[in-house]
Amino acid sequence: MRETAVDGSELLRATFRRSAAGVAVITAHADGRLAGFTATSLASVAAEPPMLSFNIGARSSSWEVFARAEHVGVHILGEHQADIAATFARGGADRFAEPTRWRPGPFDVPVLDDVPAWVACRVVARVPAGDHRVVLAEVLTGDPDGPGRPLLYHERSFTALRD
């Protein structure tokens, strides 16, 4: 076994590049502004009450909206949606313009069309964690029965499950 002499931040990034992660888009609406970003940090936290978490950069262009939003939309992307993942990951993009298809959903959160699953959640906590915030949110409603298989992120690119 060998050790790699790199700083801790680069070691963390390099390590997690080796792990495949599901891809989600998190959306919010606050003060008349829409925001959304691509996340691979989505995690189930508790069954009672049903709660999930995700991380967002405190310097992200989306953070200002997420810091004030009472509700968020969480979308599991399908393997057919790598373009949506890329759009919501790109800085400076109008993420809700065409060709993104979405609608206002419960609690006025933007809901993306044609995703395998989505939920609308109530934000219960925002926890500082270094240069990010961990957002805890209670699942209120949604649809787990959309089309497609999940999109994955591995080694800096979007990919799909193989049979």
Side-chain angles (χ1 to χ4, degrees):
M1 195 178 237
R2 64 179 187 155
E3 281 186 41
T4 303
V6 295
D7 72 57
S9 294
E10 181 52 36
L11 178 59
L12 178 72
R13 287 184 191 101
T15 298
F16 275 87
R17 279 185 212 117
R18 301 300 304 265
S19 175
V23 181
V25 165
I26 317 293
T27 60
H29 179 233
D31 301 330
R33 293 180 52 205
L34 298 174
F37 67 98
T38 299
T40 57
S41 62
L42 183 64
S44 173
V45 173
E48 291 300 327
M51 196 170 298
L52 57 78
S53 70
F54 60 88
N55 306 331
I56 180 172
R59 292 186 290 257
S60 151
S61 62
S62 298
W63 172 242
E64 189 175 312
V65 172
F66 280 88
R68 291 191 310 279
E70 293 180 23
H71 295 88
V72 295
V74 177
H75 309 82
I76 304 299
L77 295 189
E79 61 189 5
H80 61 287
Q81 295 178 306
D83 56 334
I84 296 292
T87 296
F88 278 82
R90 191 173 25 249
D94 183 352
R95 297 169 178 154
F96 294 94
E98 287 292 329
T100 301
R101 293 190 345 245
W102 66 279
R103 66 189 182 285
F107 312 104
D108 210 24
V109 298
V111 173
L112 301 178
D113 290 345
D114 300 323
V115 295
W118 67 270
V119 290
C121 306
R122 180 179 62 85
V123 174
V124 297
R126 295 172 183 88
V127 181
D131 61 353
H132 279 65
R133 299 298 178 263
V134 177
V135 178
L136 296 168
E138 181 180 1
V139 175
L140 301 174
T141 189
D143 180 3
D145 295 320
R149 293 167 27 131
L151 181 65
L152 300 178
Y153 189 72
H154 180 251
E155 293 282 351
R156 298 182 185 179
S157 63
F158 298 112
T159 187
L161 293 171
R162 291 184 214 156
D163 290 325

